[in-house]
Amino acid sequence: MTLFPEARPADLVLPPAFTGVFAAAGTDVHGETCRLAASDAEAGTLVLGERDGILTLAVVLAPDEPLAGARRALFAGMWALSEAIGGFGPPEIPVVVSWPDTLHFNEARLGGGRLGWPEGCGEGDVPDWLVFSASLIASKRHAGDPGLTPESTSLEEEGFPADLARPLAESFARFLTKAFEIWTEDGFQHLAGRYLDHLALPPHAREAQIVDDGDLRLTFAPGLSEDRPLLPALVQPAWCDPETGTVRL
């Protein structure tokens, strides 16, 4: 799968608020985008890169509320990512999210999203920036026999189009714009509902709700509910291999 065939930033057709940047091969795209954001990169800077068969895109965001609530931008990013991927894959296979940020396709882990924010920013302070990034397994050829890594899959294995990086980034940017429009015009719960449409519920859960601080509230029976906090899951995303910094195979 060729990710960047003679790609140039000008090749990306993005909404007006976005500026495309192609990272050098092997770059830690999430970390580099956080560094760019800390160095006053403009909101809407979208960085696209590839490392070891993993496609990653990251975008700088400009929050306007304290960090505790601004982290809910993760749900905007995950919905945009899910919708963008769903537009290119086989229509009969849904894109499924495991709480809060792991993305599955065809019952296997395809990747996930993560959120970065300034170190030392207090929960009640408005952060100077946020970075949402998403990493997807483009190809597992370098990992050997796919039977050795049955819990994960790749864009290549699932029949996604080749040369997908550019159109996927463009689609993601359009859906992300839509996500923030929904949040602004209709309220956060309308956006949360879009995200929950993709969320896999645990057994026996009857209902799921994103409460205002971003935690997940699961209802199993009248009077019986359970809250799953957002912040601990963002500190160490379950889909990310801490040794490689990319998607677990």
Short mmCIF file of all heavy atoms in Angstrom, two decimals, residues 11 41 57 66 121 141 222 233:
data_model
loop_
_atom_site.label_atom_id
_atom_site.label_comp_id
_atom_site.label_asym_id
_atom_site.label_seq_id
_atom_site.Cartn_x
_atom_site.Cartn_y
_atom_site.Cartn_z
N ASP A 11 -1.49 19.22 -2.41
CA ASP A 11 -2.36 18.18 -2.94
C ASP A 11 -3.60 17.96 -2.08
O ASP A 11 -4.60 17.42 -2.55
CB ASP A 11 -1.60 16.85 -3.03
CG ASP A 11 -0.53 16.87 -4.11
OD1 ASP A 11 -0.68 17.65 -5.06
OD2 ASP A 11 0.44 16.12 -3.98
N ALA A 41 1.80 26.96 16.33
CA ALA A 41 1.17 26.55 15.07
C ALA A 41 -0.30 26.91 15.11
O ALA A 41 -0.96 26.82 16.15
CB ALA A 41 1.34 25.05 14.85
N LEU A 57 -2.68 10.81 11.41
CA LEU A 57 -2.99 12.21 11.13
C LEU A 57 -3.25 12.90 12.46
O LEU A 57 -3.74 12.29 13.41
CB LEU A 57 -4.18 12.34 10.17
CG LEU A 57 -5.52 11.74 10.56
CD1 LEU A 57 -6.34 12.68 11.44
CD2 LEU A 57 -6.33 11.41 9.31
N PRO A 66 -12.32 25.55 29.76
CA PRO A 66 -11.31 24.91 30.60
C PRO A 66 -11.03 23.47 30.18
O PRO A 66 -11.88 22.79 29.60
CB PRO A 66 -11.91 24.99 32.00
CG PRO A 66 -12.79 26.20 31.96
CD PRO A 66 -13.38 26.19 30.57
N CYS A 121 -1.07 22.29 32.39
CA CYS A 121 -2.33 23.03 32.30
C CYS A 121 -3.30 22.50 33.35
O CYS A 121 -3.54 21.30 33.44
CB CYS A 121 -2.93 22.89 30.90
SG CYS A 121 -4.48 23.80 30.67
N ARG A 141 2.34 -5.99 6.72
CA ARG A 141 3.33 -6.82 6.03
C ARG A 141 4.61 -6.96 6.84
O ARG A 141 5.24 -8.02 6.85
CB ARG A 141 3.65 -6.21 4.67
CG ARG A 141 2.49 -6.23 3.69
CD ARG A 141 2.90 -5.67 2.35
NE ARG A 141 1.77 -5.54 1.44
CZ ARG A 141 1.87 -5.12 0.20
NH1 ARG A 141 3.06 -4.80 -0.32
NH2 ARG A 141 0.78 -5.02 -0.56
N PRO A 222 -32.95 -0.04 35.88
CA PRO A 222 -33.40 1.14 36.62
C PRO A 222 -32.69 1.24 37.97
O PRO A 222 -32.72 0.30 38.77
CB PRO A 222 -34.90 0.91 36.77
CG PRO A 222 -35.26 0.06 35.59
CD PRO A 222 -34.09 -0.84 35.38
N ALA A 233 -8.27 7.04 30.78
CA ALA A 233 -8.14 6.35 29.50
C ALA A 233 -7.34 7.17 28.50
O ALA A 233 -6.69 6.62 27.61
CB ALA A 233 -9.53 6.04 28.93
#
